[in-house]
Structures are given as C-alpha cells and as structure tokens.
Amino acid sequence: MEPNAGGPLLEIADLSKVYGPLKALDQVTLNVDQGEWLSIVGPSGSGKTTLMNIVGCMDQPTAGAVRLDGRDLSALGAKELTQVRRETVGLIFQKFHMIGHLTALENVMVAQYYHSLPDESEALAALGRVGLAERATHLPSQLSGGEQQRVCIARALINYPKLVLADEPTGNLDADNERIVLDLFAQLHEQGTTLIVVTHDPAVAAQGEREVRLDHGRIVQEIRHRAARPGQVLKEAGHVA
Amino acid sequence: MAARMIARSVTRRRSRVAIAVAAVAIGATTLFSLASIALDIPRQMSREMRSYGANLLVLPADGAEAVTPEAAEAVAGTISAEQLIGFAPYRYFNVRINEQPFLASGTDLESARTVSPYWHVEGAWPERAGELLIGSDVAAVTALGAGEAVSVVVGTDAEGPVAHPFTITGVLSTGGSEDALVAMSLADAEALAGPGGYDVVEFSIASQPDQIAALAESINAEQPGQSAQPDQSAQSAQPAVRAAPVKRLTQSDTYVLDMLQSLLVIVSLIVLALTMIGVSTTMMAVVAERRTEIGLRKALGASNRSVVAEFMAEGMVLGVVGGIGGVVIGYALAVAISDNVFHRVPAFSWPLAAATCAAAVGVTWLANRVPVRRAAEVDPAIVLRGE
C-alpha cells in the first residue's frame, strides 16, 4: 500500500458497525484532510466511541471501508492494525491513562519504546513543549489533572503521528487547564497535525475547523467553523440527509 | 526501557510487589526448610544412631579363639578416618565378688565411652589400675557402691582362688546387659585372666546401613592383613575374624530414615502445589488490576508478545526475589527446627538454594503464564471507553 500523498488522510465510506441487534454505526461516510481539525459531537450512544475505535485501529467495521494514510484498515489483521496505530495514530484519552508507577518522562518514553527507540532528551523536549519539563520526574499521583493531560498530549505527539485522536480531552479538566489544552491543540493544528476530537462540549467542538454530529450511528449534521480571531467563531451549518 | 519499566514497577508498586513476593517467598521458605531437613536427616540420624552404640561387631572367626589386637587394627585401617567414630575391644571372663559369680569385661574404657556414649556412670570412671565399675545389677546384688573396696576373685589354681583388691569408682547403668557386668581396664583384665585376645571388638561407624553391611561383607570376604602368599596354607587363608552389622539398629535406622524422608518429600510436593495455587491466585489478582495499564500499552502500540514478555519478565524478577528471600528465611527455619528436634544445625546447601530459587522462578512462571496471556488479549479499546 502506498502512503497517501496530498489527498485525504482519512477516508471513510459506508462504514457500519453492528453489535447484535444494535447498529452502532450506520453507513457513515466521512473524509478528513491532512492538517484538518475535526470535532465529532453527539449524545451518548451515538457511535462516537465506535468510530474512534475503528479509526484508531482498535476495532474492525462490519461493513464499509476505512482508509487511513492510504491503507485499507478493514483488510488488516490485528498485528497490522497494531503497527498502523503505533506508526500513524496518537491517542489522547479523557481519563489520561498514565502508567502510575512511571514518571511523566517515562510515560512519554513508553510510547517511544513501543514505536522505535526511547530517547530521553527527545521525551524531555516533548514535555517542554507542553510546559512540563520541570515536572518530568514526577509520578502521575504528583501531577494535577491538567498536567496529566498535557503529559498525555506529549506522549501522543512524541512519535510525530499523522493523526491525533482525542476522546473528550477536556472532559475532566477545569476551565484554565481546558484553555491550556486547547491552545496546545491550536499549536498542533498550526503545525499541520491532523486532529480528530470527540467532545460533548460545544465550546471545544467549535475550536475545530469542522464539526460532525452523530446520532444513532449516522452523521446528522456537519458544521464548518471559520475562526475570525481567537474565541470568535463563525458557523456554516449543513444538515446531512 | 523494558528493564527500566520492570525496575520501576517492582520498586514503586511496593505493596503489590510485597504481596506477590510474599506469596512466592512463603512457598520457597517451606520448600527450602523441608528440603534442608530432608537432605540433612541421614547425617542427623546417623549421628543419633551413633549414640545408641556400635553398629559393627568384629568377632573371632570360626575356629579362632580370639580377635588379635593386630586384626582389630587392620579392620580399623579399612575404614576411613572420617567415618570411624571409634572401636572398643572387649575381653570377657568370670569373677567372683562376695562369693557370687559375675561376668567381668576388660576394655579400653576411653574407647568404650566413645563407642557407647549412652553408658551412664554414677560416680567416676576408673583412671588408674585397680579401679573398676560395677553394673547396677551387680551393685544391687552385692550392696556395693562407688568408693568401696572390693575383692575380685578369679579362677582357681594350684594355690586356690586368687583375690585381687579393687576400688569401685562408679556404678554403671545402661538399661542393657552391661548392668550385670564388672568393667575394668584391659591391663587389669590381663592381670587377672592372663594375656589373650579380644572376644569381641565393637566398631562405631558414621555410615549408612547398606554401607556398613557392605563393609561387613568385604571384611568377611577378604580378611584385612591376610597374607596373599601363594604358599599360604588353606587354614591360614581363612579369615581370623568375622564381621556382623548390628542388625536391629541398622534396620530401624533405615526404617526411620525412609519414613521421614518419604514424609518430607510428600509434604514438600504438597507445599509446592499449594504454593503454585497461592502464587497463581495472587498473580491473577495483580495482573487483573493492571488490565487498564495493559490496554493502554496496547493502545500505545505494544504487541501481545511484548506485553507478555514484559509481564513474564517482571514475574521472574518477583520469583527470584521471593526465592532468595525464601532461601534465607527457610534456612533460618530449618536451623530452628533441626536445633529443636535433632539438636544439630543443618549445613547450608548452595545447590539446594539454587534449586529452590529455580523452583520459585518456575512456579512463578507457570502461575503467571495463564493470567498474563489472558490479560494480553485485552481489547485496547477499553482504555478509550474509559473503563
């Protein structure tokens, strides 16, 4: 498979995922361009997490096609999916999920270790980029929620992934830390990183260039945001049949 | 990085690691202490059996009147110095004390004390010529006791019975046939009964019953000191002595050893099985509570093989630490048990220590295998779902 060059980084066509009688995703079609910041919103049970799992190479669709960076994920086995996830995707979770007995620096290095080779100075530099260089030797229990999420962002970015998937990244943060995290996402977006952010928060969703609303496994609305200046958002809404 | 992660997991998850190590160490402790005692029992029992007296008798061969001192020395020469505890020659003859007949025994009293440490003397042991011990039965019959003078009458010759003055230094009691004896030094015996060889020589040997039996056979088959000259006559080629193991003691020795060793082997196997169950349960709980961490590692790109290898390696570290701890504590336990039961301290066995550590690692490996493999199958999506 040739890596995708110039076209959409993620191409989803008629994607369905069925759990018994439940249709978690129902013929979803969605493209995400390289460097785009996409927000996915929707109520609980709308299929957001299922879509994230499939895009994050942690689940397989029942029907339809998913191409990530030119590779058809639906045709890959578990080992190949792990490889794609390792090389292409950076994951950020709502509950942070740091390894409790490792320091902030070591948590970042774990991602390096599974990707290629750990490099302590590079991991320290990644922590520096999220403003936590001086907290590198602290254990997760010694970090605030906002600091833990910033460590997770550093961990997600350490291997220079083409796609960053963030699941409710500000769900457990206060307003100040939410602002810090969103500023970091804005920096990544400016640097050309492709972002897909799942959120319940309209303010967070509005930070993306595009917002997709899921309901009962289908895309029911797509909104394109145009940021005029920081904090101000113009909307162009379009409903999907 | 793998080593660093394992080291951090072991050093920073102290309470969990302590539980897992304790589970391994308890098994290793019991295993090492039981095995130490089981391996040491033959040595312990051999020493114990020694205190019950001789385990090999050397007697005159058929047709011979006595065992010569040279033949006794020759037999002793065939036994290694490490194994030979001692040997005591005995010469028996009849005496009369207070007009009553008794059996007297001339022996090397110092050697007799070594070979028969269970001889209990009330009073003192003879140290000079003209001193003797009387058995407790003799004392009861004659109403004599330690410190009293006594006339020992031997035989009859042309001038009639000869009385020899002696001093009783102590009363001997063994609970056996020695209680009916009058015991004195070989020199005094020769003075009373005239020169002559030994009626029996008792050997105390620190060896296993089968080895003693083999030694007896060897003595009977090939007489030590026997000349190998081709012109030796048929008569002189016959052994001058014959050897006989003390059967009752050696059989009980074997029986007790076999029984104890079988018991300890069975207990050790049960302990090993219980350890396996205990460690397995503990490891299952430890791995289960790290399910999310395993899911996270997989979400970060870890393969199943990598997760299994890391967790198994961590388990091996716990096995080694638990094994070493178990050996240290187990030896202390073995010393305490042996000291209380056998009044001996077992030697520390490095091969057994290595085997115990290997068993601890092996049990931990087996106990870890199923839960870790199962955990490695965990769906990384559980992390995204926030479980």
Side-chain angles (χ1 to χ4, degrees):
Chain A
M1 293 284 183
E2 290 276 327
N4 201 23
L9 180 68
L10 177 66
E11 298 167 85
I12 299 172
D14 294 325
L15 175 66
S16 293
K17 180 69 183 180
V18 177
Y19 296 107
L22 177 70
K23 273 191 171 180
L25 291 173
D26 187 7
Q27 293 191 310
V28 171
T29 297
L30 177 69
N31 284 357
V32 180
D33 291 334
Q34 291 189 29
E36 188 180 0
W37 179 347
L38 175 72
S39 301
I40 299 176
V41 297
S44 295
S46 60
K48 302 188 304 290
T49 300
T50 304
L51 181 60
M52 287 285 280
N53 285 347
I54 292 172
V55 174
C57 306
M58 290 178 280
D59 204 351
Q60 286 282 40
T62 307
V66 181
R67 295 181 73 84
L68 176 61
D69 197 24
R71 280 184 281 199
D72 184 0
L73 300 187
S74 54
L76 301 180
K79 283 184 181 175
E80 289 85 4
L81 284 174
T82 300
Q83 189 184 353
V84 173
R85 183 167 68 244
R86 189 164 51 215
E87 293 173 352
T88 313
V89 182
L91 294 166
I92 298 168
F93 315 106
Q94 179 180 359
K95 290 187 175 174
F96 323 135
H97 290 305
M98 293 176 69
I99 298 176
H101 54 269
L102 299 182
T103 62
L105 180 69
E106 289 162 345
N107 266 281
V108 176
M109 290 171 70
V110 167
Q112 286 181 309
Y113 168 66
Y114 291 126
H115 180 267
S116 49
L117 284 174
D119 182 334
E120 193 164 329
S121 59
E122 196 180 352
L124 196 58
L127 282 176
R129 282 197 290 280
V130 297
L132 287 177
E134 76 284 358
R135 309 281 277 170
T137 56
H138 287 66
L139 292 170
S141 58
Q142 298 166 322
L143 299 173
S144 70
E147 288 172 330
Q148 288 188 51
Q149 191 60 295
R150 283 148 69 191
V151 173
C152 290
I153 292 172
R155 182 177 66 191
L157 300 177
I158 189 68
N159 297 320
Y160 304 101
K162 290 185 176 173
L163 174 65
V164 171
L165 289 178
D167 183 21
E168 296 284 2
T170 59
N172 283 343
L173 301 183
D174 58 26
D176 290 341
N177 278 302
E178 178 180 304
R179 173 48 48 200
I180 292 169
V181 168
L182 289 176
D183 285 347
L184 283 168
F185 282 1
Q187 285 174 29
L188 291 173
H189 179 52
E190 282 170 17
Q191 291 161 7
T193 304
T194 307
L195 286 166
I196 297 179
V197 178
V198 169
T199 181
H200 276 104
D201 187 341
V204 173
Q207 298 298 311
E209 291 173 297
R210 192 155 56 110
E211 180 180 327
V212 166
R213 176 170 296 277
L214 282 177
D215 196 8
H216 292 96
R218 299 177 71 95
I219 295 176
V220 294
Q221 190 181 31
E222 197 170 320
I223 302 172
R224 198 164 284 279
H225 301 288
R226 287 186 300 156
R229 60 178 184 270
Q232 189 177 11
V233 174
L234 299 175
K235 289 185 177 180
E236 293 174 3
H239 285 270
V240 178
Chain B
M1 188 64 198
R4 188 169 172 173
M5 285 196 290
I6 291 167
R8 296 291 185 269
S9 176
V10 170
T11 56
R12 288 186 182 146
R13 295 170 51 253
R14 287 184 194 142
S15 59
R16 294 291 183 271
V17 167
I19 290 169
V21 167
V24 179
I26 288 169
T29 296
T30 318
L31 195 63
F32 186 77
S33 57
L34 283 176
S36 285
I37 294 168
L39 285 182
D40 216 32
I41 272 186
R43 187 172 67 88
Q44 305 277 7
M45 293 304 292
S46 182
R47 287 186 179 180
E48 290 297 315
M49 290 303 172
R50 250 190 265 152
S51 67
Y52 295 120
N55 48 9
L56 182 75
L57 300 182
V58 171
L59 305 156
D62 292 341
E65 287 187 356
V67 178
T68 63
E70 293 75 20
E73 289 290 345
V75 170
T78 64
I79 303 163
S80 73
E82 293 82 30
Q83 289 185 312
L84 182 61
I85 308 303
F87 65 99
Y90 292 90
R91 180 179 180 192
Y92 297 106
F93 55 100
N94 293 313
V95 297
R96 295 180 72 85
I97 296 174
N98 291 355
E99 301 297 325
Q100 295 181 71
F102 296 103
L103 188 64
S105 123
T107 183
D108 179 338
L109 290 163
E110 200 59 41
S111 297
R113 286 179 78 168
T114 306
V115 172
S116 305
Y118 59 91
W119 280 21
H120 176 70
V121 171
E122 201 170 309
W125 285 77
E127 290 180 350
R128 289 179 288 275
E131 293 181 341
L132 56 72
L133 296 171
I134 55 170
S136 55
D137 291 352
V138 178
V141 170
T142 59
L144 293 169
E148 294 188 58
V150 65
S151 285
V152 177
V153 179
V154 181
T156 53
D157 56 17
E159 299 174 359
V162 179
H164 300 267
F166 274 86
T167 302
I168 302 168
T169 60
V171 177
L172 171 67
S173 56
T174 67
S177 59
E178 293 89 350
D179 290 356
L181 284 179
V182 175
M184 62 186 70
S185 69
L186 276 171
D188 282 341
E190 285 197 353
L192 266 62
Y198 312 135
D199 295 304
V200 62
V201 184
E202 292 184 358
F203 282 79
S204 179
I205 304 163
S207 190
Q208 299 305 308
D210 53 343
Q211 291 172 311
I212 290 170
L215 175 65
E217 280 181 24
S218 155
I219 291 167
N220 292 334
E222 188 178 347
Q223 174 57 36
Q226 178 185 328
S227 171
Q229 294 299 320
D231 59 347
Q232 199 167 19
S233 69
Q235 179 63 32
S236 63
Q238 291 295 319
V241 297
R242 60 186 172 87
V246 179
K247 284 186 179 175
R248 196 166 60 87
L249 273 182
T250 53
Q251 280 171 353
S252 67
D253 187 351
T254 306
Y255 176 70
V256 170
L257 287 181
D258 287 351
M259 195 176 61
L260 278 173
Q261 280 188 321
S262 300
L263 180 69
L264 287 168
V265 166
I266 290 166
V267 171
S268 300
L269 289 176
I270 291 169
V271 165
L272 205 59
L274 291 176
T275 303
M276 178 93 86
I277 293 167
V279 172
S280 191
T281 309
T282 308
M283 289 302 175
M284 221 172 268
V286 168
V287 172
E289 72 174 16
R290 295 177 74 185
R291 210 164 154 260
T292 305
E293 181 191 328
I294 292 170
L296 172 65
R297 287 174 189 243
K298 292 187 71 175
L300 293 175
S303 63
N304 285 11
R305 182 182 289 185
S306 165
V307 169
V308 169
E310 287 158 23
F311 275 73
M312 291 304 284
E314 196 175 311
M316 296 304 94
V317 171
L318 301 183
V320 169
V321 173
I324 292 171
V327 165
V328 172
I329 302 168
Y331 182 62
L333 192 63
V335 168
I337 292 171
S338 289
D339 192 30
N340 276 301
V341 178
F342 300 106
H343 307 292
R344 302 279 193 283
V345 174
F348 185 86
S349 166
W350 284 103
L352 181 62
T356 302
C357 284
V361 171
V363 165
T364 312
W365 187 83
L366 282 173
N368 255 338
R369 201 163 171 267
V370 172
V372 167
R373 280 185 181 277
R374 197 173 292 166
E377 298 295 332
V378 77
D379 182 358
I382 64 164
V383 179
L384 273 182
R385 286 200 293 269
E387 290 175 9

